[in-house]
PDB file of all heavy atoms in Angstrom:
ATOM      1  N   TYR A 485     119.907 105.619  89.888  1.00  0.00           N
ATOM      2  CA  TYR A 485     121.219 105.393  90.456  1.00  0.00           C
ATOM      3  C   TYR A 485     122.132 104.797  89.573  1.00  0.00           C
ATOM      4  O   TYR A 485     123.416 105.276  89.497  1.00  0.00           O
ATOM      5  CB  TYR A 485     120.955 104.509  91.739  1.00  0.00           C
ATOM      6  CG  TYR A 485     122.366 104.215  92.357  1.00  0.00           C
ATOM      7  CD1 TYR A 485     122.946 105.100  93.252  1.00  0.00           C
ATOM      8  CD2 TYR A 485     123.090 103.033  92.068  1.00  0.00           C
ATOM      9  CE1 TYR A 485     124.116 104.804  93.790  1.00  0.00           C
ATOM     10  CE2 TYR A 485     124.179 102.716  92.736  1.00  0.00           C
ATOM     11  CZ  TYR A 485     124.725 103.570  93.596  1.00  0.00           C
ATOM     12  OH  TYR A 485     125.965 103.316  94.114  1.00  0.00           O
ATOM     13  N   ASP A 486     121.783 103.824  88.661  1.00  0.00           N
ATOM     14  CA  ASP A 486     122.656 103.274  87.751  1.00  0.00           C
ATOM     15  C   ASP A 486     123.179 104.335  86.750  1.00  0.00           C
ATOM     16  O   ASP A 486     124.277 104.235  86.280  1.00  0.00           O
ATOM     17  CB  ASP A 486     121.932 102.088  86.967  1.00  0.00           C
ATOM     18  CG  ASP A 486     121.778 100.927  87.863  1.00  0.00           C
ATOM     19  OD1 ASP A 486     122.557 100.747  88.854  1.00  0.00           O
ATOM     20  OD2 ASP A 486     120.915 100.066  87.471  1.00  0.00           O
ATOM     21  N   ASN A 487     122.342 105.325  86.419  1.00  0.00           N
ATOM     22  CA  ASN A 487     122.664 106.247  85.464  1.00  0.00           C
ATOM     23  C   ASN A 487     123.733 107.349  86.086  1.00  0.00           C
ATOM     24  O   ASN A 487     124.523 107.936  85.407  1.00  0.00           O
ATOM     25  CB  ASN A 487     121.506 107.070  84.825  1.00  0.00           C
ATOM     26  CG  ASN A 487     120.755 106.187  83.944  1.00  0.00           C
ATOM     27  OD1 ASN A 487     121.254 105.276  83.349  1.00  0.00           O
ATOM     28  ND2 ASN A 487     119.407 106.573  83.725  1.00  0.00           N
ATOM     29  N   LEU A 488     123.489 107.691  87.468  1.00  0.00           N
ATOM     30  CA  LEU A 488     124.333 108.726  87.927  1.00  0.00           C
ATOM     31  C   LEU A 488     125.288 108.243  89.116  1.00  0.00           C
ATOM     32  O   LEU A 488     125.757 109.057  89.883  1.00  0.00           O
ATOM     33  CB  LEU A 488     123.308 109.732  88.613  1.00  0.00           C
ATOM     34  CG  LEU A 488     122.286 110.514  87.669  1.00  0.00           C
ATOM     35  CD1 LEU A 488     121.310 111.259  88.432  1.00  0.00           C
ATOM     36  CD2 LEU A 488     123.118 111.267  86.610  1.00  0.00           C
ATOM     37  N   LYS A 489     125.545 106.865  89.147  1.00  0.00           N
ATOM     38  CA  LYS A 489     126.256 106.442  90.314  1.00  0.00           C
ATOM     39  C   LYS A 489     127.767 106.999  90.255  1.00  0.00           C
ATOM     40  O   LYS A 489     128.388 107.020  91.294  1.00  0.00           O
ATOM     41  CB  LYS A 489     126.282 104.895  90.287  1.00  0.00           C
ATOM     42  CG  LYS A 489     126.920 104.179  89.231  1.00  0.00           C
ATOM     43  CD  LYS A 489     126.739 102.768  89.308  1.00  0.00           C
ATOM     44  CE  LYS A 489     127.097 101.960  87.995  1.00  0.00           C
ATOM     45  NZ  LYS A 489     126.883 100.584  88.120  1.00  0.00           N
ATOM     46  N   ASP A 490     128.237 107.333  89.001  1.00  0.00           N
ATOM     47  CA  ASP A 490     129.658 107.883  89.097  1.00  0.00           C
ATOM     48  C   ASP A 490     129.688 109.415  89.469  1.00  0.00           C
ATOM     49  O   ASP A 490     130.605 109.842  89.896  1.00  0.00           O
ATOM     50  CB  ASP A 490     130.102 107.781  87.623  1.00  0.00           C
ATOM     51  CG  ASP A 490     130.308 106.284  87.185  1.00  0.00           C
ATOM     52  OD1 ASP A 490     130.511 105.487  88.151  1.00  0.00           O
ATOM     53  OD2 ASP A 490     130.102 106.030  86.087  1.00  0.00           O
ATOM     54  N   ASP A 491     128.506 110.035  89.400  1.00  0.00           N
ATOM     55  CA  ASP A 491     128.422 111.484  89.719  1.00  0.00           C
ATOM     56  C   ASP A 491     127.622 111.706  90.954  1.00  0.00           C
ATOM     57  O   ASP A 491     126.466 111.869  90.963  1.00  0.00           O
ATOM     58  CB  ASP A 491     127.847 112.330  88.526  1.00  0.00           C
ATOM     59  CG  ASP A 491     127.944 113.784  88.767  1.00  0.00           C
ATOM     60  OD1 ASP A 491     128.652 114.211  89.742  1.00  0.00           O
ATOM     61  OD2 ASP A 491     127.383 114.501  87.954  1.00  0.00           O
ATOM     62  N   LYS A 492     128.254 111.588  92.082  1.00  0.00           N
ATOM     63  CA  LYS A 492     127.580 111.631  93.447  1.00  0.00           C
ATOM     64  C   LYS A 492     126.922 112.998  93.587  1.00  0.00           C
ATOM     65  O   LYS A 492     125.895 113.029  94.322  1.00  0.00           O
ATOM     66  CB  LYS A 492     128.563 111.342  94.602  1.00  0.00           C
ATOM     67  CG  LYS A 492     129.196 109.923  94.491  1.00  0.00           C
ATOM     68  CD  LYS A 492     128.195 108.945  94.709  1.00  0.00           C
ATOM     69  CE  LYS A 492     128.731 107.532  94.682  1.00  0.00           C
ATOM     70  NZ  LYS A 492     127.861 106.395  94.636  1.00  0.00           N
ATOM     71  N   GLU A 493     127.486 114.031  93.102  1.00  0.00           N
ATOM     72  CA  GLU A 493     126.860 115.402  93.413  1.00  0.00           C
ATOM     73  C   GLU A 493     125.536 115.544  92.667  1.00  0.00           C
ATOM     74  O   GLU A 493     124.548 116.071  93.119  1.00  0.00           O
ATOM     75  CB  GLU A 493     127.883 116.461  92.958  1.00  0.00           C
ATOM     76  CG  GLU A 493     129.043 116.614  93.891  1.00  0.00           C
ATOM     77  CD  GLU A 493     128.717 116.982  95.341  1.00  0.00           C
ATOM     78  OE1 GLU A 493     127.752 117.827  95.538  1.00  0.00           O
ATOM     79  OE2 GLU A 493     129.252 116.380  96.207  1.00  0.00           O
ATOM     80  N   ALA A 494     125.443 115.070  91.486  1.00  0.00           N
ATOM     81  CA  ALA A 494     124.263 115.078  90.616  1.00  0.00           C
ATOM     82  C   ALA A 494     123.235 114.191  91.285  1.00  0.00           C
ATOM     83  O   ALA A 494     121.996 114.478  91.177  1.00  0.00           O
ATOM     84  CB  ALA A 494     124.553 114.616  89.194  1.00  0.00           C
ATOM     85  N   LEU A 495     123.592 113.036  91.788  1.00  0.00           N
ATOM     86  CA  LEU A 495     122.747 112.098  92.515  1.00  0.00           C
ATOM     87  C   LEU A 495     122.118 112.770  93.760  1.00  0.00           C
ATOM     88  O   LEU A 495     120.929 112.544  93.978  1.00  0.00           O
ATOM     89  CB  LEU A 495     123.494 110.807  92.800  1.00  0.00           C
ATOM     90  CG  LEU A 495     122.665 109.627  93.302  1.00  0.00           C
ATOM     91  CD1 LEU A 495     121.687 109.196  92.223  1.00  0.00           C
ATOM     92  CD2 LEU A 495     123.560 108.489  93.661  1.00  0.00           C
ATOM     93  N   LYS A 496     122.879 113.592  94.348  1.00  0.00           N
ATOM     94  CA  LYS A 496     122.337 114.249  95.548  1.00  0.00           C
ATOM     95  C   LYS A 496     121.266 115.276  95.246  1.00  0.00           C
ATOM     96  O   LYS A 496     120.290 115.600  95.877  1.00  0.00           O
ATOM     97  CB  LYS A 496     123.385 114.913  96.373  1.00  0.00           C
ATOM     98  CG  LYS A 496     124.326 113.895  97.104  1.00  0.00           C
ATOM     99  CD  LYS A 496     125.328 114.639  97.909  1.00  0.00           C
ATOM    100  CE  LYS A 496     126.283 113.742  98.650  1.00  0.00           C
ATOM    101  NZ  LYS A 496     127.436 114.436  99.261  1.00  0.00           N
ATOM    102  N   LYS A 497     121.464 115.915  93.989  1.00  0.00           N
ATOM    103  CA  LYS A 497     120.547 117.056  93.656  1.00  0.00           C
ATOM    104  C   LYS A 497     119.199 116.527  93.045  1.00  0.00           C
ATOM    105  O   LYS A 497     118.363 117.355  92.807  1.00  0.00           O
ATOM    106  CB  LYS A 497     121.259 117.862  92.623  1.00  0.00           C
ATOM    107  CG  LYS A 497     122.457 118.712  93.309  1.00  0.00           C
ATOM    108  CD  LYS A 497     123.194 119.492  92.286  1.00  0.00           C
ATOM    109  CE  LYS A 497     124.328 120.222  92.983  1.00  0.00           C
ATOM    110  NZ  LYS A 497     125.149 120.996  91.944  1.00  0.00           N
ATOM    111  N   VAL A 498     119.088 115.277  92.754  1.00  0.00           N
ATOM    112  CA  VAL A 498     117.942 114.758  91.940  1.00  0.00           C
ATOM    113  C   VAL A 498     116.787 114.784  92.955  1.00  0.00           C
ATOM    114  O   VAL A 498     116.874 114.239  94.097  1.00  0.00           O
ATOM    115  CB  VAL A 498     118.199 113.283  91.446  1.00  0.00           C
ATOM    116  CG1 VAL A 498     116.981 112.707  90.998  1.00  0.00           C
ATOM    117  CG2 VAL A 498     119.268 113.354  90.432  1.00  0.00           C
TER     118      VAL A 498
END
Side-chain angles (χ1 to χ4, degrees):
Y485 177 77
D486 287 339
N487 291 337
L488 299 174
K489 64 183 169 188
D490 296 330
D491 188 5
K492 298 295 183 189
E493 290 301 317
L495 192 60
K496 289 179 183 176
K497 292 179 183 177
V498 172

